[in-house]
Amino acid sequence: TLGADIQGDGIYCELVGWGPNQESWQLDARFLPGDTDIAMEGAWAALDAYSRAGVTFPGGKVVPIDQECVDAGYHTEAARAYCEAAANRLAVFGRSGWDRPVLGRGEAIRTEQRGKKAGRAGVREEDRAFLVGTYPVKLSWYGFLRESMKWHAQRIENEDGKSSSSEAIGLPPQPKGLVHVGRDVPEDWFEQVSAEAITTKKKRSGLVAAREWSVMPGRQNHYLDCRVYNRAAAEKLLLDRLSGEDWERLRTERHAQPEPET
């Protein structure tokens, strides 16, 4: 999957591979500089080329990206144009709130431009946006990242030249959502994917306190947003519905040697 966070001067993107039990591999993360206000120009053209290159598996087979989720909250029309250029792309809008699903449909985002209804939201079904419930996804991500760091730290500590298998080195069971990070990760990736914290704020009445995610001072959270959109892309693919046989079939197909050209 590919998650993309759109900024005025470029696009942050992360390419993620998935396995059973929400195990993930960060295959690549980068910033594509360029303007983002004009459809399919600047950074959009770079993202399009990056997307169409696909993913090369260990056996040499090149496979298209299965699903992309692209932030459409900024330069919405340009984001829509990019997503309309390929069937595996989805324009999404992040939304706060603890009770939202990972990926769902929500309020209309189109507004009427003319006549008595000018400025009103559209009501046609095709105008209803795909919304990403960011709060629960971030909470899960922080838990996955924390448990993964513990698991990998224990693996390194227990290796001592022994076999790398979990049974041989006495590792605990692999946690849900185990995260693997690439060697060429951008220097600021870890800082960005952990840039937010849950804060408690009182509402105007002063009687009810609300828990919400906030970016810590001096930090940026673009790669965190990319990971959230990747999770939404995995949800779109219904990866949690795949059986063990499904995963094994995918491994066999994608790790196979590429067919010779005729």
Side-chain angles (χ1 to χ4, degrees), residues 93-100 131-136 138 211-213:
F93 296 76
R95 289 292 186 268
S96 60
W98 294 102
D99 58 349
R100 289 187 179 275
L131 304 182
V132 177
T134 61
Y135 277 26
K138 289 176 183 177
R211 297 170 67 247
E212 56 188 51
W213 287 100

Side-chain angles (χ1 to χ4, degrees), residues 4-262:
D5 180 58
I6 313 306
Q7 300 297 307
D9 59 347
I11 298 174
Y12 288 84
C13 61
E14 184 187 34
L15 188 65
V16 174
W18 296 91
N21 207 26
Q22 294 190 42
E23 185 173 6
S24 66
W25 288 261
Q26 184 222 51
L27 305 179
D28 187 45
R30 64 181 65 193
F31 175 70
L32 303 173
D35 294 334
T36 56
D37 56 336
I38 301 177
M40 301 309 287
E41 294 187 12
W44 290 112
L47 182 63
D48 184 66
Y50 180 84
S51 168
R52 294 184 185 279
V55 180
T56 303
F57 275 72
K61 192 173 184 178
V62 178
V63 177
I65 295 172
D66 291 288
Q67 183 65 54
E68 301 179 30
C69 278
V70 179
D71 166 31
Y74 187 60
H75 293 321
T76 301
E77 295 307 316
R80 280 177 165 177
Y82 170 81
C83 291
E84 289 171 357
N88 65 334
R89 300 172 182 175
L90 190 68
V92 297
F93 296 76
R95 289 292 186 268
S96 60
W98 294 102
D99 58 349
R100 289 187 179 275
V102 175
L103 184 66
R105 302 303 293 270
E107 65 269 21
I109 59 171
R110 180 182 61 83
T111 56
E112 299 291 347
Q113 301 297 318
R114 300 178 182 178
K116 295 181 180 180
K117 295 183 179 180
R120 295 185 183 179
V123 295
R124 295 181 306 182
E125 180 61 29
E126 59 266 32
D127 294 322
R128 296 179 69 80
F130 281 92
L131 304 182
V132 177
T134 61
Y135 277 26
V137 174
K138 289 176 183 177
L139 188 64
S140 295
W141 164 248
Y142 271 58
F144 292 162
L145 195 59
R146 179 177 60 250
E147 294 305 312
S148 296
M149 292 175 69
K150 292 179 181 178
W151 191 88
H152 286 297
Q154 186 166 351
R155 175 182 59 81
I156 293 172
E157 181 180 348
N158 294 351
E159 272 181 350
D160 292 331
K162 300 177 183 178
S163 169
S164 60
S165 68
S166 297
E167 294 78 13
I169 61 177
L171 282 179
Q174 181 173 306
K176 180 179 181 179
L178 183 63
V179 179
H180 305 270
V181 180
R183 291 176 177 158
D184 298 324
V185 60
E187 292 184 2
D188 60 344
W189 185 84
F190 280 102
E191 181 174 316
Q192 288 202 27
V193 297
S194 59
E196 296 190 20
I198 296 176
T199 58
T200 302
K201 295 183 179 179
K202 289 187 177 181
K203 295 186 176 181
R204 292 181 180 177
S205 64
L207 299 177
V208 180
R211 297 170 67 247
E212 56 188 51
W213 287 100
S214 300
V215 181
M216 289 182 275
R219 304 280 284 274
Q220 294 185 336
N221 65 344
H222 308 305
Y223 285 129
L224 175 58
D225 287 343
C226 288
R227 179 58 66 139
V228 169
Y229 296 140
N230 268 297
R231 177 68 184 86
E235 185 76 4
K236 180 68 165 59
L237 293 170
L238 300 176
L239 297 186
D240 60 336
R241 303 289 184 90
L242 296 182
S243 66
E245 292 77 13
D246 292 329
W247 284 110
E248 188 58 39
R249 174 179 53 80
L250 285 169
R251 290 191 196 96
T252 301
E253 291 175 356
R254 300 191 174 196
H255 286 263
Q257 296 289 327
E259 296 182 2
E261 297 181 3
T262 57

